[in-house]
């Protein structure tokens, strides 16, 4: 006899179902041994009256530092996290594949030019320097050997003051090498100039969005034409805007500038995926809260003009499709039972994602 909360069978009945794309009227959802199934197989019956069941949320930009606690993400309904750069391969390896908590993917070390990015304090800078075009294949091969799930590249502005940035030709070489190895490329870029370097090099994903100036219409058209997705990390950008004193005043643009760029990307149908930059690193300029910030991000995306349904898609089906996580991000027969049950209808009011009643990861109750 299995414990009631074990990974056995259960049914949620009379529940609204957001399947990663659309919301349904009340129905029943069946789970058996960690997988969504099409017919009841017994076990517990949970009354979902008034509630909505959704796929577990995916945060497509976090940093797992030594203090990171996967169970915090899990309790917030964030059932998959995509680490976008960690200084410790051992840390990540130890966090991978643990049953019954948040599932981890990681870029491991990001490629840098060796400058900027708080090199003196940030252990990630310095140890991952790519020394030009000739060094790109070496970097990518090392990440593949270490089982990175995708390649992360730090693109910063070139300036006379800081010559230690990746050269455009090196960025191109990194993207080409990554694509030859079948790896997705995610590029950190916080200015229009850095974004343009990423666009020109055909990266797959840009992450962050500028605070000081809007992304241009031409850049957004190029992103759409090249099928480049955006993970804007509005939670981080809002924190930075506050830290650096950029208010909503006319002459000091802040998060509203970043949100205007996201709105323009939405209008051009650029793929927008939710990510927070959640981290607990002492050297980071801001620390979006693990797990909780995903709910902030959904609200910030709605503030940028996404509908609640679009925001929910960005943290479920769209995130899974972008990162080829084909076993999750949707509610469909045969997929992982990574599920979130919330009180109310978050397709009407996005803040309702915070009203978590239950969370399952591979069919195991974690809240
Ligand atoms: Zn980051």
């Amino acid at each position: 006899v299995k414990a009631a909360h074990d990974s056995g069978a259960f049914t949620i009945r009379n529940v609204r179902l957001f399947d990663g794309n659309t919301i349904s009227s009340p129905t029943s959802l069946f789970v058996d041994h960690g997988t969504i199934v099409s017919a009841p197989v017994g076990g517990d019956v949970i009354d979902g009256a008034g509630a909505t069941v959704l796929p577990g949320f995916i945060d497509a930009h976090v940093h797992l530092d030594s203090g990171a606690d996967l169970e915090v993400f899990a309790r917030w309904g964030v059932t998959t996290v995509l680490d976008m750069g960690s200084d410790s391969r051992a840390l990540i390896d130890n966090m991978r594949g643990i049953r019954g908590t948040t599932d981890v993917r990681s870029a491991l070390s990001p490629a840098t030019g060796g400058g900027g990015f708080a090199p003196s304090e940030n252990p990630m800078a310095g140890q991952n320097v790519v020394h030009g075009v000739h060094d790109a294949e070496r970097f990518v091969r090392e990440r593949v050997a270490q089982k990175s799930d995708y390649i992360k590249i730090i693109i910063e502005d070139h300036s006379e003051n800081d010559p230690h940035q990746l050269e455009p030709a090196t960025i191109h070489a990194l993207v080409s090498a990554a694509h030859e190895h079948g790896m997705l490329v995610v590029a950190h870029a916080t200015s229009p100039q850095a974004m343009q370097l990423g666009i020109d090099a055909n990266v797959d994903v840009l992450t962050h969005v500028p605070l000081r100036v809007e992304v241009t219409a031409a850049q957004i058209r190029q992103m759409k034409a090249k099928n480049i997705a955006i993970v804007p990390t509005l939670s981080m950008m809002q924190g930075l805007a506050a830290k650096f004193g950029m208010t909503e005043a006319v002459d000091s643009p802040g998060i509203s500038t970043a949100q205007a760029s996201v709105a323009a990307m939405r209008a051009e149908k650029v793929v927008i995926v939710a990510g927070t930059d959640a981290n607990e690193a002492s050297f980071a300029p801001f620390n979006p809260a693990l797990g909780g910030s995903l709910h902030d991000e959904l609200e910030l995306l709605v503030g940028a003009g996404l509908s609640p349904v679009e925001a929910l898609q960005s943290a479920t089906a769209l995130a899974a499709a972008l990162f080829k996580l084909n076993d999750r991000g949707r509610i469909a027969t045969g997929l992982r039972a990574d599920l979130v049950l919330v009180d109310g209808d978050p397709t009407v009011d996005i803040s309702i994602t915070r009203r978590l009643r239950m969370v399952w990861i591979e069919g195991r109750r974690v809240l």
Side-chain angles (χ1 to χ4, degrees), residues 61 63 152 208 277:
H61 190 143
H63 296 277
K152 173 86 179 288
H208 307 303
D277 217 352

Side-chain angles (χ1 to χ4, degrees), residues 7-10 29-39 41 327 332-339 362-364:
S7 59
F10 61 91
L29 175 65
F30 311 109
V31 172
D32 187 27
H33 289 88
T35 301
I36 297 163
V37 295
S38 58
V41 282
D327 60 349
T333 299
L335 299 193
R336 280 168 63 103
D338 291 352
L339 301 167
E362 272 198 301
R364 294 173 193 223

Side-chain angles (χ1 to χ4, degrees), residues 337-355:
D338 291 352
L339 301 167
V340 168
L341 186 69
V342 299
D343 284 316
D345 183 353
T347 68
V348 174
D349 173 359
I350 195 66
S351 71
I352 278 172
T353 61
R354 297 176 189 277
R355 293 198 212 155

Side-chain angles (χ1 to χ4, degrees), residues 15-339:
V15 69
R16 276 187 224 91
L17 192 152
F18 177 79
D19 67 359
N21 291 300
T22 58
I23 186 99
S24 77
S25 50
T27 184
S28 292
L29 175 65
F30 311 109
V31 172
D32 187 27
H33 289 88
T35 301
I36 297 163
V37 295
S38 58
V41 282
D44 286 354
V45 176
I46 296 151
D47 182 13
T52 304
V53 66
L54 305 96
F57 297 119
I58 299 168
D59 187 334
H61 190 143
V62 309
H63 296 277
L64 299 172
D65 316 295
S66 54
D69 184 346
L70 295 178
E71 302 200 350
V72 176
F73 285 107
R75 285 195 294 273
W76 277 105
V78 179
T79 56
T80 301
V81 290
L82 308 183
D83 176 85
M84 286 297 156
S86 170
D87 57 307
S88 172
R89 179 188 166 198
L91 177 85
I92 298 294
D93 283 350
N94 286 334
M95 287 182 166
R96 285 188 190 272
I98 305 170
R99 301 288 305 271
T101 194
T102 292
D103 203 27
V104 170
R105 298 291 183 280
S106 180
L108 300 177
S109 304
T112 77
F117 209 53
S120 58
E121 304 152 68
N122 185 345
M124 281 192 281
Q127 65 175 358
N128 321 303
V129 178
V130 179
H131 300 277
V133 171
H134 66 279
D135 202 26
E137 172 66 20
R138 185 273 312 165
F139 176 87
V140 171
R141 224 184 305 113
E142 284 181 8
R143 297 294 81 70
V144 171
Q146 293 183 349
K147 306 217 183 310
S148 293
D149 296 288
Y150 32 77
I151 298 295
K152 173 86 179 288
I153 303 178
I154 307 294
I155 304 178
E156 302 267 25
D157 289 358
H158 270 266
S159 76
E160 301 296 314
N161 305 333
D162 188 359
H164 302 291
Q165 299 300 343
L166 292 170
E167 294 288 341
T170 306
I171 298 167
H172 267 275
L174 282 164
V175 175
S176 297
H179 286 170
E180 278 166 27
H181 286 273
M183 304 285 276
L184 198 79
V185 178
V186 180
H188 156 114
T190 59
S191 72
Q193 187 197 348
M195 290 181 78
Q196 191 63 49
L197 291 172
I199 292 167
D200 290 344
N202 302 319
V203 302
D204 301 291
V205 184
L206 289 167
T207 187
H208 307 303
V209 67
L211 280 172
R212 292 174 195 281
V213 57
E214 279 185 43
V215 180
T216 69
Q219 288 183 310
I220 294 171
R221 282 195 299 272
Q222 290 169 38
M223 288 175 69
K224 176 60 185 171
K226 294 186 171 200
N227 201 21
I228 298 172
I230 185 82
V231 180
T233 69
L234 293 172
S235 305
M236 171 57 97
M237 306 324 290
Q238 184 181 48
L240 294 178
K243 174 166 176 155
F244 297 131
M246 286 184 281
T247 67
E248 305 301 326
V250 174
D251 292 325
S252 51
I255 189 64
S256 62
T257 301
Q259 285 178 308
S261 292
V262 171
M265 291 177 191
R266 173 185 177 272
E268 282 293 326
K269 300 190 168 13
V270 169
V271 172
I272 300 167
V273 166
T276 61
D277 217 352
N279 75 84
E280 295 194 324
S282 57
F283 58 81
F286 183 68
N287 305 112
L290 310 185
S293 63
L294 190 277
H295 302 269
D296 298 336
E297 191 72 23
L298 294 173
E299 289 187 20
L300 286 162
L301 289 169
V302 169
L306 274 70
S307 68
V309 164
E310 290 168 339
L312 295 170
Q313 290 168 339
S314 81
T316 57
L318 285 177
L322 179 61
F323 286 91
K324 299 180 173 60
L325 303 171
N326 298 324
D327 60 349
R328 69 194 69 188
R330 291 175 295 125
I331 295 180
T333 299
L335 299 193
R336 280 168 63 103
D338 291 352
L339 301 167

